[in-house]
Amino acid sequence: MTGDREVQLRFDSAYHYVVNNMLMSYENMDTMLALCDEMASVSPSQLEPRQISLWAYSYALASSVYINHNELKKGLLSIRRGVQISDSIGNKMCYNRCISALALIYSNWKLNDRADELFSRVIATTDKEDLLSTANAYLANAIHLVNTARYDSALYYLACIDSLKIAPEDMLPGSYKSVDYSMRFYRGWCLTEIPDSLMRGVSLLQGLYDEYHPHKEEAVAFESVCYRMGRACELAGDRSKADVYYREAKDLILTRPLSFQVFETVDPLMNAFLRENDSKNILELLPVWKKIVEQYYDNQLNGMLAYYSVELDVAGMEKQVIQVEGKLVQRRMEIIILILVVLVLMMAIVWGILYWRHKKRQLRTLFETLMRRYISWREMELYLKSEWEKHSLPPDVTVVEDGAETEDDASQPVMNDESVADAKGDEFYRELYYRVLLVMERDRPFLNPELNISLLAKAAITNRTHLSNAINRMTGTNFSTWLAEYRVNYAIHLMTHNDAVNVDTIYTQAGFGSRTTFYRQFKQLTGLTPKQFLKQRVS
């Protein structure tokens, strides 16, 4: 009995430590993991009746710590074990809390259908007389709704928690502090995303910020509070104040251990810096942002892999039960069934490996596309500006610019408001046209005499129809005329910046296929022959 009492005291101490340090877990992760393993290893026969439900719920706490430590499969197995134990002992409160924690894990892994299903089940079966269990279900569902941008619904469930009127003394001190922190943060987040409630959200987040700012280095997810404050100030029109919070969020992220869990903060923070062309902060955050994005998508893959791996293990266990029952029929049939099961499992594993390799390639392609979009605007702006300054022409030479109208262009189609497509289409073609400009200025494919619209479309990662429409919409000319302008401008650049120029051979350097085509298009675009242009430059 003395040994059991020591186990009980030790269990209480470990449980309270984990609960009270969930918000300050960066510096004591190893201790948290050790205590979670210790609680899981305790036999329930050694605990008091009041501790049995705590023992079952400790699997949910352990799951949270394991997942924070990127041990995804161990975390998923732990929470499912908590669900199983709480169901077996008939503890409905603990069962619903474990189901809520499991639903949040599925939500983080973007298994939203599974998460919605579990939250619906929990809320429908929660005992409304059990205020703590009900509040836990509402809060978990609100977090899921915020992560899926359903802010009005999230505010509804947060308001439901307020209506329960739970007193702080009804909860463990650490648990109440964690819940209060989460509710204030997510309510402030939701309010700042609703225009009519913006100032209420700013006030709520400001209070949370002021309270935890003195120990911001230890507070979990405080960089999210800083970013949300900056986002709220930006929406309110106070850009200078927003920049202060954004920089503070960036500095906190740079001091934290790299973790995919800050993706929801670091990704929109990078977008905020990109919107303001804040090159200094972009360059400081870019390496960390890249690693966090990679970890995030790896976590999504590993999370789904852990989910299907656990499901496969459960299916395997069910099949083993069937096999044991089949032994009562006939030994020969048992061997046949066992062989079939092994073959099915091998096929499932091979299929799973091939499938996840394919999905990983798709996500990597998505990541590369997103990264290009994030940096292409700034890179393109700086590069085109420098190239334009280097390639600018003397003031006495007139070359047709994109979209400029001359007498020879009178027959060309003129773009006006009536011929422009809807705003969304224009944005697509404008972005595509800028991407094509970047390819032309950076790689200079126009110097290849064999260049055609199909080759250029492939280089710009599009098809020839979109490319043709983009050039026509943005410049009012067709592809051939547009390409000729590039080559003529380059020929003029060569003639302007080189003292010894052979007009009869310069067309090959500018990408023209023949001398005749060069002379014809040069005169058509400048009004002068190449030799007349050189004479005019010399004079």
Side-chain angles (χ1 to χ4, degrees), residues 122-135:
V122 170
I123 292 175
T125 59
T126 297
D127 183 2
K128 299 303 185 291
E129 300 298 324
D130 182 359
L131 300 183
L132 294 180
S133 178
T134 303

Side-chain angles (χ1 to χ4, degrees), residues 42-96:
V42 173
S43 172
S45 62
Q46 298 177 282
L47 300 176
E48 295 178 349
R50 66 171 181 82
Q51 293 178 315
I52 298 299
S53 62
L54 298 181
W55 174 70
Y57 187 65
S58 69
Y59 284 89
L61 297 177
S63 174
S64 177
V65 178
Y66 291 144
I67 289 176
N68 286 342
H69 202 250
N70 208 28
E71 297 184 29
L72 305 183
K73 186 171 182 179
K74 194 171 182 179
L76 184 58
L77 289 173
S78 178
I79 187 61
R80 293 183 69 138
R81 176 64 173 160
V83 171
Q84 181 183 8
I85 291 175
S86 57
D87 187 34
S88 64
I89 64 177
N91 191 319
K92 190 174 182 180
M93 178 191 72
C94 185
Y95 175 79
N96 283 339

Side-chain angles (χ1 to χ4, degrees), residues 399-464:
V399 179
V400 177
E401 301 289 345
D402 288 349
E405 182 176 357
T406 66
E407 293 179 1
D408 293 337
D409 293 329
S411 61
Q412 296 294 334
V414 179
M415 296 188 69
N416 51 50
D417 292 341
E418 296 179 355
S419 62
V420 177
D422 57 272
K424 184 176 180 181
D426 275 351
E427 182 65 23
F428 169 78
Y429 287 115
R430 185 179 298 107
E431 181 177 340
L432 174 58
Y433 182 68
Y434 288 156
R435 190 164 75 240
V436 172
L437 288 181
L438 179 60
V439 171
M440 293 291 282
E441 293 296 333
R442 183 183 59 198
D443 301 333
R444 296 185 177 178
F446 59 85
L447 299 182
N448 177 15
E450 302 298 326
L451 179 68
N452 55 38
I453 192 169
S454 297
L455 291 177
L456 184 57
K458 184 177 180 181
I461 317 177
T462 185
N463 59 51
R464 56 180 297 161

Side-chain angles (χ1 to χ4, degrees), residues 442-496:
R442 183 183 59 198
D443 301 333
R444 296 185 177 178
F446 59 85
L447 299 182
N448 177 15
E450 302 298 326
L451 179 68
N452 55 38
I453 192 169
S454 297
L455 291 177
L456 184 57
K458 184 177 180 181
I461 317 177
T462 185
N463 59 51
R464 56 180 297 161
T465 301
H466 288 329
L467 177 57
S468 177
N469 289 340
I471 293 173
N472 183 265
R473 285 180 180 230
M474 296 297 106
T475 67
T477 62
N478 57 32
F479 172 80
S480 298
T481 303
W482 179 77
L483 180 59
E485 291 176 4
Y486 257 99
R487 289 172 172 166
V488 169
N489 285 336
Y490 188 75
I492 291 175
H493 167 75
L494 294 176
M495 290 188 286
T496 304

Side-chain angles (χ1 to χ4, degrees), residues 18 31 80 162 172 195 219 308 324 366 399 420 439 469 499 508 521:
V18 173
T31 302
R80 293 183 69 138
D162 293 336
L172 292 173
Y308 288 111
V324 171
L366 174 61
V399 179
V420 177
V439 171
N469 289 340
D499 295 332
T508 60
Q521 293 183 343

